[in-house]
Amino acid sequence: MANRTGFGPREPEAAWPGDDAMAAVVIIEDDPQSARMLATLLEFEGHRPVVCPAPERALDCIREAQPAVAVMDFHLGREEALGLIRAIREDALLRRVAVIVISGADREAEALSAGADAFLLKPFPIEELVSLVRRFASRPREGG
């Protein structure tokens, strides 16, 4: 079994069924330190993280990267993720992107009703995020 603790070398592992080991994951986070931490974690897990440099460029970042998954904070500076989630779901080319919202406030109902695929309340176990990204990255892409 692979070493998923973050300590020591990773051992070879069998691919998960349908696993896309290099799936692009766009990270939309207004805190640069949090964005770097998420990118490092996802890269370690075999994904291709793309950190969006500014929340207001999120839709452009998603269009350019063509990710399987977008991970975004609920609070993006002065904005909330709700409008961005709705814009993703209304765009024929982007609606296939899975959206995972993370937040320190319990805004799960709002995020899911706006169209998010999953919500994680901070602090959350890192394994939970990794599992969600893996699951969404390996699902068949529709509409794009």
Side-chain angles (χ1 to χ4, degrees):
M1 175 172 250
N3 179 352
R4 297 234 183 242
T5 64
F7 301 103
R10 291 177 56 121
E11 299 171 17
E13 61 185 49
W16 288 68
D19 192 22
D20 181 5
M22 287 302 290
V25 179
V26 168
I27 299 166
I28 305 161
E29 169 64 72
D30 62 332
D31 174 38
Q33 185 175 352
S34 294
R36 281 191 305 273
M37 185 272 307
L38 288 170
T40 300
L41 167 74
L42 292 171
E43 186 173 37
F44 180 80
E45 290 295 328
H47 299 287
R48 186 171 43 91
V50 178
V51 176
C52 186
E56 58 272 10
R57 289 208 55 240
L59 290 174
D60 291 333
C61 291
I62 294 170
R63 284 186 188 103
E64 291 167 15
Q66 299 182 9
V69 182
V71 176
M72 68 180 71
D73 193 10
F74 188 90
H75 297 285
L76 299 168
R78 290 179 275 187
E79 301 293 320
E80 290 184 343
L82 299 177
L84 177 56
I85 298 166
R86 289 184 187 111
I88 291 168
R89 293 299 173 237
E90 292 169 3
D91 188 302
L93 296 176
L94 303 182
R95 68 176 55 134
R96 64 174 173 69
V97 176
V99 176
I100 300 171
V101 176
I102 57 177
S103 179
D106 189 0
R107 308 294 293 268
E108 181 174 15
E110 293 168 88
L112 296 178
S113 69
D117 294 279
F119 178 89
L120 292 174
L121 181 63
K122 295 178 189 175
F124 53 85
I126 295 302
E127 296 82 13
E128 195 170 347
L129 175 62
V130 169
S131 176
L132 285 170
V133 169
R134 180 182 295 125
R135 184 176 91 207
F136 291 133
S138 66
R139 76 180 181 186
R141 292 181 169 199
E142 301 168 358

